[in-house]
Amino acid sequence: MWELVPSVVLGGILVLWLQVAWRASPLWTLPELGDEPDDLPAWPRLSVVVACRNEEAGVERALTSVLAQDYPGLQVVVVDDRSEDATPTILRALAARHAALIVERVDALPAGWLGKTNALHRGAARARGEWLLFTDADVVFAPGALRRAVAWATRDGLGHAVALPRFVAPGLLERAFVSLFGLFLVSNQRVGELGRAGSAGFIGIGAFNLVRRDAYEAIGGHTRLRLEVADDLKLGLVLRRSGVRQGCVLAGAQVSVRWQSGFVASMRGLVKNLFAGCEYRWPEALRAGLGLPIIAAVPLVSLVCALRWPWLLPNTGARLLALAALVVPVALHGTTARRLAGGAGYEGVLLPFASVCLAGVALVSALAATARGAVIWRGTRYSLRELDAACVRDADWPRARAPGSKPAAER
């Protein structure tokens, strides 16, 4: 009887990883935005909406890349959310040089709003485009990226188009960490199901949420998301559950972002919002914090220990299961690093280490928010009770039966 236990455990772990691989398969089947044609008979009006708070390090480069786009009649609306660094000075200088740039300042945060969601909502109110692109103040766009994106969304009849950005992560540890987070993000959102009406899939990303104005206004803008820390994902959720057609591509070199400056900074940056990604539910945080290290480390540990104590893996079948349960996630992680972060693929060997780090972040995020009774978001304290009460959850939404969008990979 004992001989069956290792096989059952390792077989279960292998099944879990195969499920993750299946759900994340769009990472290697979706085309890149750079491969999309950039021509339309007539160009709809486009407004880019950016929320800024203390972004002096990267805002000039990011906005310059947007303002340099050759999109006809482009409008760029930037809302400065109470910045205390040199951001306002940089924005004024850019506005003086570019007539397409509109800058609005928020000096006091209204009650019942997060700073970012309030800024995006106000920016959308100032925008005049038929399409709204919500993006972050550190995202860099390659020439022609906006033309390709709008042409793709228009041709596919989408109401919400998402381009997964290229993560700029020079360090090996940083690249392994952010690509593992990206792997589970895509897997959990079930991007491959966007083309099936009523499916669980939905997508949203802060770097590139391109939304048709009528679809955005139909859901009430960001009003429904006013206290959502994970506002980008939840925007995608509300749009999808409201019957809006969604599509997703890989941005490749067309859209890039440095998530945080380094490995430690990447972990620290995720601490503030990962509990929100778990929808303030401890069971979800524990599932990530305890389950992820187990499924990532057990196959490796069992193989290593079996060299000293062969009875741990008493037969060939158990050893093969352990090997498969190790090789599959390592290959999956390496593929994700190549597709999302421009890695070489050997980042996958760091899967056990990156998994422990990501699990630790999930637990620290939950512990910190619970201990404080609040989430600290860009220098502002928000009550955990208030955030939890206002959280938009998937379970609250019936699955829309409107026709879904067909992912570009299926065209």
Side-chain angles (χ1 to χ4, degrees), residues 86-389:
T87 297
T89 303
I90 296 170
L91 293 178
R92 284 194 296 269
L94 285 170
R97 300 197 303 268
H98 300 276
L101 177 60
I102 298 172
V103 177
E104 182 173 331
R105 167 83 179 183
V106 174
D107 292 310
L109 182 63
W113 284 85
L114 289 179
K116 183 181 179 184
T117 54
N118 175 62
L120 292 175
H121 193 71
R122 291 181 62 162
R126 291 289 303 271
R128 295 293 175 262
E130 300 166 55
W131 286 87
L132 305 174
L133 173 60
F134 296 103
T135 187
D136 294 329
D138 53 357
V139 178
V140 177
F141 295 83
L146 298 189
R147 290 171 64 100
R148 294 180 187 279
V150 173
W152 156 57
T154 301
R155 283 193 304 270
D156 275 23
L158 305 179
H160 180 208
V162 172
L164 299 176
R166 171 68 56 84
F167 289 116
V168 178
L172 176 61
L173 292 179
E174 179 186 0
R175 203 159 54 247
F177 181 77
V178 300
S179 59
L180 185 64
F181 174 74
L183 167 64
F184 282 104
L185 175 67
V186 173
S187 176
N188 289 339
Q189 304 320 122
R190 303 189 183 192
V191 174
E193 298 181 11
L194 294 181
R196 197 166 73 244
S199 68
F202 70 93
I203 189 62
I205 196 79
F208 200 100
N209 271 328
L210 179 63
V211 187
R212 206 175 57 236
R213 174 180 283 280
D214 58 353
Y216 177 74
E217 292 179 345
I219 65 167
H222 275 80
T223 303
R224 196 185 298 267
L225 309 171
R226 60 190 182 280
L227 285 172
E228 281 293 344
V229 173
D231 63 282
D232 51 352
L233 277 176
K234 294 305 178 69
L235 177 61
L237 170 64
V238 175
L239 287 167
R240 170 73 169 163
R241 298 295 177 255
S242 299
V244 176
R245 294 166 62 90
Q246 288 185 333
C248 183
V249 295
L250 293 177
Q254 297 292 303
V255 184
S256 60
V257 61
R258 181 80 186 272
W259 192 15
Q260 298 287 343
S261 298
F263 167 62
V264 175
S266 296
M267 290 198 299
R268 189 179 297 128
L270 196 55
V271 165
K272 68 181 184 295
N273 60 5
L274 194 52
F275 195 39
C278 296
E279 297 186 335
Y280 312 108
R281 296 296 190 244
W282 264 97
E284 290 300 311
L286 289 174
R287 186 165 69 99
L290 301 180
L292 183 54
I294 291 174
I295 66 172
V298 165
L300 175 62
V301 171
S302 63
L303 283 170
V304 172
C305 290
L307 296 176
R308 177 66 177 83
W309 301 290
W311 52 268
L312 285 174
L313 297 177
N315 54 60
T316 302
R319 297 187 188 102
L320 289 175
L321 280 173
L323 185 62
L326 178 63
V327 170
V328 167
V330 165
L332 181 61
H333 187 197
T335 301
T336 304
R338 285 200 303 270
R339 294 290 275 170
L340 287 184
Y346 50 74
E347 293 83 0
V349 301
L350 294 175
L351 171 72
F353 174 75
S355 297
V356 170
C357 292
L358 186 57
V361 167
L363 292 176
V364 170
S365 179
L367 286 168
T370 303
R372 293 190 193 111
V375 170
I376 308 299
W377 180 258
R378 290 192 174 262
T380 303
R381 183 185 181 92
Y382 302 98
S383 163
L384 185 59
R385 180 176 298 179
E386 188 179 18
L387 294 175
D388 185 28

Side-chain angles (χ1 to χ4, degrees), residues 35-51:
D35 296 330
E36 296 289 334
D38 62 351
D39 57 324
L40 280 178
W43 291 99
R45 289 175 297 172
L46 171 65
S47 296
V48 178
V49 181
V50 184

Side-chain angles (χ1 to χ4, degrees), residues 42-67:
W43 291 99
R45 289 175 297 172
L46 171 65
S47 296
V48 178
V49 181
V50 184
C52 275
R53 178 166 170 80
N54 297 334
E55 298 281 1
E56 63 180 7
V59 67
E60 184 169 10
R61 181 178 179 225
L63 289 181
T64 298
S65 74
V66 176
L67 292 163

